[in-house]
Amino acid sequence: YQLASLTVEPDGEAPFHLNAGRFAMPATATTVRAVFEEIPPPGSYVVDFEDGDKFTYPTANVVLNGKMWELEQALISTDINNVIAGFKSARLRDGTNAPALTLLEDLTNGLGRLSFKYRAAASVIDPVDWQAEYSRDGGASWVRIGRPFAPPAHTVVQFFTRGVHVTGAVRVRIVRASTNVVEASRLLVDDLVA
C-alpha cells in the first residue's frame, strides 16, 4: 500500500489537504485523516495527469502517459483547490456539450480493473452522476462499468474501483451518466489505473 491522501481537519475550521511539505498544527482539536491505496500491479497503465497540459475546456487531444486522450469540456487543473494528488488533476465541466475523458488508443492487454480517485471541484453547486465505460470496438460502442457515481463534496476524495475482466484491445472513458445540463457541476479525476 501507499499513502493516497492526507487531510487535516481542525475543529471549527475548514479542512485542508496536504500534498507535500510542512504545515503548522492548528491550536484547536484536530483530526488528521490518512487514506491508503493499493500499489498498481506491474504492467498497469497509469494516468496521473502530471505529464499533460490543457488549460481550457473546449475539446482537444492530449498525450497522457504515452497514449492519446480526448478531453471534451475538460481541462488539466493546476489550481491547488482543484487538484486531488500531485500538482495536476483532470477537471470536467458539465455543460451544453457532453463532458468526457476518452482514451483514443487501445490498451492491448485487456482490462482487469479500472480505478481512479475523484471528487467535486471547489466551485461545484449541484453534484451530478458520472460513469466510467469501456469499449472493445475502438470506441464505436461503450459499456458502463459498475454504477454511476456522484462526488459528495469537494473536500472528500472518493475511490472508484471496479473489476472489468475483458481481454484483448480495450479503451476507457469517463462521461456524464445522463444528458442533464447543470452548468455548475465540476468533477475532478486523478490517478487513473487501467
Side-chain angles (χ1 to χ4, degrees), residues 10-54:
D11 283 354
E13 297 179 33
F16 57 92
H17 301 282
L18 297 175
N19 285 332
R22 298 177 183 203
F23 71 98
M25 185 61 95
T28 61
T30 301
T31 301
V32 178
R33 296 187 190 279
V35 176
F36 295 88
E37 65 187 1
E38 290 184 50
I39 295 173
S44 295
Y45 174 66
V46 179
V47 176
D48 62 9
F49 300 96
E50 301 297 319
D51 64 337
D53 289 310
K54 183 174 182 288

Side-chain angles (χ1 to χ4, degrees), residues 49 52-55 62 64 71 74-78 88-90:
F49 300 96
D53 289 310
K54 183 174 182 288
F55 304 107
V62 178
L64 298 168
L71 280 64
L75 54 78
I76 297 176
S77 177
T78 57
K88 297 179 181 181
S89 294

Side-chain angles (χ1 to χ4, degrees), residues 154-188:
H154 79 273
T155 58
V156 181
V157 176
Q158 298 289 306
F159 297 89
F160 179 96
T161 183
R162 299 290 184 278
V164 181
H165 310 294
V166 295
T167 59
V170 63
R171 298 179 184 191
V172 296
R173 72 179 182 178
I174 299 170
V175 297
R176 278 282 282 115
S178 66
T179 57
N180 293 349
V181 176
V182 182
E183 187 64 36
S185 291
R186 307 285 188 273
L187 176 73
L188 300 178

Side-chain angles (χ1 to χ4, degrees), residues 71-151:
L71 280 64
E72 185 174 355
Q73 289 298 305
L75 54 78
I76 297 176
S77 177
T78 57
D79 174 358
I80 193 163
N81 296 312
N82 287 305
V83 170
I84 295 174
F87 298 100
K88 297 179 181 181
S89 294
R91 179 176 166 159
L92 290 89
R93 174 177 71 175
D94 188 25
T96 56
N97 297 318
L101 297 177
T102 305
L103 178 60
L104 297 177
E105 299 179 43
D106 290 333
L107 299 171
T108 56
N109 295 327
L111 180 61
R113 174 172 297 278
L114 178 68
S115 62
F116 54 87
K117 298 172 192 166
Y118 69 93
R119 72 172 175 86
S123 63
V124 86
I125 294 172
D126 297 315
V128 296
D129 286 339
W130 300 83
Q131 66 189 33
E133 300 176 337
Y134 73 89
S135 173
R136 297 178 70 187
D137 58 10
S141 62
W142 295 89
V143 177
R144 189 176 74 207
I145 301 171
R147 294 184 176 152
F149 59 92

